[in-house]
Amino acid sequence: MTKKLSVVNRRQFLRQAGISAGAGLVASHSMTQVLAANSAEQDRRLQFTKDDLPTSWVSEESAAQTTTSQAVERTCIAPSIETRLFASSNVGGSNERIQLALQRLACAGFKVDNPAITSRQYLRFAGTDSQRASDLQNIATGAIEAPKLLLGVRGGYGAVRLLPMVDWSTLGRIMQERGTILAGFSDVTAIQCALLAKGDMSSLAAPMLYSEFGKTNPDQVSCRQFSEALTNPSLAITVPDASLTSTNLPSILASGEPKTITGTIWGGNLSVVSALAGSEYLPRIRGGIVFLEDVGEQAYRIERMLYDLYLAGVFEGQQAIVFGALSGSGEDSYDKRYDVATVIRQLQQLTGLPIYSGMSFGHIGNKHSFPLGARCQISENTTGGYQLAFTDYSTIKAASVHTEGLWQSV
């Protein structure tokens, strides 16, 4: 079915979206002017954390797509998807970037009920611990009705401080009843692990408000795949090779012939997962598939975190390990031969588990969102890669989402 798009003027759109001009961008200015003010130079001055993607890492293909899109007629739909933000980690940093992201979400069909939380700050965090925990705990208590989408503002650090302050069991039950989707990655991994471990509820590994949708030029591939994962109940991702993890690895590293594997996929950012080792907030999934990604960690630090998990018994009873991007790992100053590939080969020998590398998710451009805590089937394909097929997770009606709005000017 073709979605009906309506072209609205900017003042009408802001009124429909519930975003006041006084809250950020002045209604008399066009989004093109805002984009010019929020220049690439300004983006570079912002301090990057693990949820940010430096502009130099964006592929030429993605940049070309964005340039082309600027010549396309701008269209928006009336926002109807009940959406709430949660700010569990770093403060946003740029109000212009936040307001731009909010307008893009509204253009794409997401009706954000609590944009004011983006202005909170306590030290480096997006509010006090109590304020940040309340974004989720108020849903668990029933003080706020569960939305269809709970979208993380950004990552960085701070989510781990909130874990004892949320009733994850009740929150998970309410989210299951409502079909709520919690989306984020990076530091939000702590929230996703706790929700799965204590609330038996899946979530979505996906881009976030500030770290993607507020960019001057959002990554169109990541935006499209975000929409795909939100709306497709039978999501499948094909991985052609291991290059996103390491060019020195095969896509499948196994002791014998790889077999089709089915189990619950869980995990996220390696730094966060390893920090939860030994706690009640780390999922204990029988026959699970562990997913891990990270950025800016040297090979020895990656290995140390993997040993944390290994020595804590986390890999026991698992069927496989899947690696996404391990970007920005650099070279070892003692011996360049000691690299990510060496670390992963050592892990395979330690655990005996098949390891699948090159999954297109992490702190990279062109990433594929996917559900964590859902059923996942991994199967080898005939071209040397593999495919992940997902089932049993919440989705949103595709007709409610106007994907192009996630990167358009309004």
Side-chain angles (χ1 to χ4, degrees):
M1 178 182 295
T2 302
K3 290 181 287 188
K4 183 179 180 181
L5 303 178
S6 58
V7 181
V8 297
N9 69 44
R10 193 170 187 281
R11 189 178 297 276
Q12 290 173 328
F13 176 72
L14 289 175
R15 185 163 55 247
Q16 292 176 10
I19 301 175
S20 67
L25 304 177
V26 182
S28 61
H29 286 67
S30 70
M31 183 63 76
T32 303
Q33 291 171 309
V34 174
L35 286 172
N38 187 22
S39 64
E41 181 179 355
Q42 180 185 20
D43 282 348
R44 286 195 294 273
R45 289 200 302 267
L46 298 175
Q47 182 179 0
F48 286 112
T49 56
K50 283 197 172 186
D51 64 310
D52 290 309
L53 178 64
T55 53
S56 61
W57 292 4
V58 178
S59 70
E60 293 181 3
E61 177 185 3
S62 178
Q65 288 174 338
T66 303
T67 301
T68 301
S69 73
Q70 294 175 352
V72 178
E73 183 180 44
R74 273 62 171 170
T75 55
C76 293
I77 61 174
S80 61
I81 302 167
E82 297 173 9
T83 304
R84 292 188 68 84
L85 305 175
F86 67 95
S88 58
S89 307
N90 277 21
V91 66
S94 166
N95 183 61
E96 290 80 8
R97 182 166 169 167
I98 288 170
Q99 295 302 324
L100 180 56
L102 288 170
Q103 292 200 24
R104 283 184 173 136
L105 281 179
C107 181
F110 300 92
K111 185 178 181 180
V112 177
D113 293 333
N114 61 335
I117 73 165
T118 59
S119 64
R120 298 183 319 213
Q121 181 172 1
Y122 171 72
L123 301 176
R124 64 173 289 145
F125 308 113
T128 65
D129 290 357
S130 295
Q131 286 176 321
R132 290 181 292 127
S134 70
D135 295 341
L136 302 171
Q137 180 62 8
N138 282 343
I139 296 173
T141 63
I144 294 173
E145 185 177 358
K148 187 60 182 174
L149 176 65
L150 269 168
L151 179 65
V153 173
R154 71 175 299 179
Y157 169 71
V160 70
R161 295 170 57 139
L162 314 182
L163 300 187
M165 304 175 68
V166 177
D167 181 353
W168 299 104
S169 178
T170 301
L171 179 62
R173 175 180 57 78
I174 291 173
M175 288 177 62
Q176 288 181 22
E177 292 172 353
R178 178 69 175 86
T180 300
I181 303 167
L182 183 145
F185 80 117
S186 193
D187 194 54
V188 173
T189 293
I191 302 297
Q192 295 170 311
C193 282
L195 184 61
L196 181 59
K198 300 181 74 67
D200 194 28
M201 181 62 192
S202 65
S203 60
L204 194 68
M208 295 178 286
L209 178 85
Y210 185 92
S211 53
E212 186 61 58
F213 306 126
K215 290 178 180 176
T216 302
N217 296 315
D219 171 9
Q220 288 191 30
V221 173
S222 296
C223 290
R224 290 185 187 280
Q225 296 305 319
F226 172 70
S227 178
E228 176 73 7
L230 279 176
T231 59
N232 187 350
S234 302
L235 182 70
I237 298 173
T238 299
V239 180
D241 54 54
S243 58
L244 288 177
T245 303
S246 171
T247 55
N248 297 323
L249 283 172
S251 59
I252 306 173
L253 185 62
S255 301
E257 287 296 320
K259 301 177 182 178
T260 298
I261 296 171
T262 302
T264 299
I265 190 166
W266 66 277
N269 181 257
L270 173 59
S271 299
V272 178
V273 172
S274 66
L276 297 179
S279 78
E280 61 187 296
Y281 303 106
L282 189 70
R284 289 164 175 78
I285 307 293
R286 289 187 177 182
I289 298 168
V290 186
F291 171 80
L292 299 168
E293 59 82 21
D294 219 317
V295 61
E297 300 287 1
Q298 293 185 42
Y300 81 93
R301 291 177 59 87
I302 292 171
E303 181 170 277
R304 184 163 60 194
M305 290 185 286
L306 291 171
Y307 260 94
D308 285 344
L309 298 175
Y310 170 71
L311 295 174
V314 172
F315 296 123
E316 294 177 5
Q318 302 304 294
Q319 295 190 73
I321 302 169
V322 177
F323 279 101
L326 294 175
S327 46
S329 59
E331 293 182 341
D332 187 79
S333 59
Y334 290 92
D335 193 325
K336 294 180 180 180
R337 294 173 299 178
Y338 179 65
D339 58 7
V340 166
T342 302
V343 168
I344 291 179
R345 290 181 187 279
Q346 171 71 358
L347 179 66
Q348 201 280 322
Q349 292 178 10
L350 278 174
T351 63
L353 297 174
I355 295 180
Y356 297 77
S357 296
M359 169 70 163
S360 50
F361 189 84
H363 295 74
I364 55 172
N366 299 347
K367 56 177 162 279
H368 288 60
S369 301
F370 68 98
L372 291 165
R375 299 291 289 174
C376 176
Q377 182 181 84
I378 308 179
S379 55
E380 184 181 19
N381 60 31
T382 58
T383 58
Y386 60 93
Q387 183 183 66
L388 302 97
F390 304 90
T391 55
D392 193 22
Y393 55 94
S394 299
T395 56
I396 292 171
K397 291 181 179 179
S400 302
V401 182
H402 172 45
T403 305
E404 290 79 2
L406 294 173
W407 64 78
Q408 286 191 82
S409 57
V410 179

